[in-house]
Amino acid sequence: MAEPEFREPTTEVRYKVVPDDQLPAGRATRVVPGPGFVEARIRRGHASELVCEQLSCVSRHIFSNGLWVYDGAECANATGVRDARTPVEVRFEIHPADAFPKDIVCLFREQPGEFIWYVRELHLSEQACGEFNEYLKTSLQDGFWVQRWEEGEAGGVITPAANPSPGR
């Protein structure tokens, strides 16, 4: 299922648990445009409200500080060649609860060419994780997401180590 193309610059990604009637049958997620934001809808039972809140909070910081941009007009070109600043890989991964600090259900790690969301088990289903990863892979190939650390406040963002250690 092809996701919609977004025509406006995006300044926020909102994650939201929604009832069944807001998603196609058989799907756990759907990404839809809004004015200046993207809404990542997740079927009830496939994500916790807490993970949606934490993902939205971090995403809001990333976009408001200019660290990322999603703008089909700016990022994609007529030849379909990806912008040089587009990461090679962006993905979600589900990890055991003991890999996270108390009360934290998601962390991210960013380095040149890569952005990984670590999500505490039981807060995102395997199906939703897979669908988000499929969407992100396609969006990256289309050249819509651009990493702009050199232009944003990258120095103020702290990311966890590659493998978050228990009790942190």
Side-chain angles (χ1 to χ4, degrees):
M1 170 188 215
E3 296 292 341
E5 289 186 27
F6 302 108
R7 299 290 180 207
E8 294 184 41
T10 297
T11 58
E12 185 176 353
V13 177
R14 299 174 185 171
Y15 294 83
K16 183 178 180 183
V17 174
V18 298
D20 290 351
D21 64 353
Q22 292 190 26
L23 295 167
R27 296 279 303 179
T29 65
R30 183 165 186 225
V31 179
V32 296
F37 67 91
V38 171
E39 186 171 83
R41 296 178 181 172
I42 308 167
R43 186 180 303 275
R44 186 171 286 124
H46 286 271
S48 69
E49 295 285 346
L50 184 56
V51 80
C52 289
E53 178 183 315
Q54 290 183 12
L55 287 167
S56 294
C57 181
V58 174
S59 294
R60 191 169 26 260
H61 171 81
I62 289 168
F63 280 94
S64 67
N65 286 295
L67 302 176
W68 282 83
V69 66
Y70 185 108
D71 181 354
E74 179 181 335
C75 304
N77 64 36
T79 64
V81 175
R82 190 173 53 198
D83 184 297
R85 297 172 294 184
T86 302
V88 173
E89 187 164 2
V90 176
R91 68 183 181 276
F92 282 77
E93 294 181 0
I94 298 172
H95 288 271
D98 65 0
F100 294 83
K102 183 182 178 197
D103 300 326
I104 302 296
V105 298
C106 71
L107 295 167
F108 73 94
R109 181 176 135 232
E110 183 166 34
Q111 59 189 13
E114 182 179 67
F115 187 98
I116 303 170
W117 281 112
Y118 297 111
V119 180
R120 184 188 294 228
E121 64 188 347
L122 305 179
H123 286 273
L124 186 68
S125 73
E126 291 288 342
Q127 181 181 352
C129 182
E131 288 178 15
F132 277 139
N133 287 341
E134 176 186 303
Y135 164 77
L136 289 166
K137 181 179 178 182
T138 301
S139 295
L140 288 171
Q141 288 172 346
D142 292 345
F144 291 128
W145 290 101
V146 173
Q147 187 179 37
R148 290 184 154 176
W149 274 55
E150 72 280 1
E151 298 168 28
E153 295 179 2
V157 178
I158 299 170
T159 60
N163 295 311
S165 61
R168 284 178 78 191

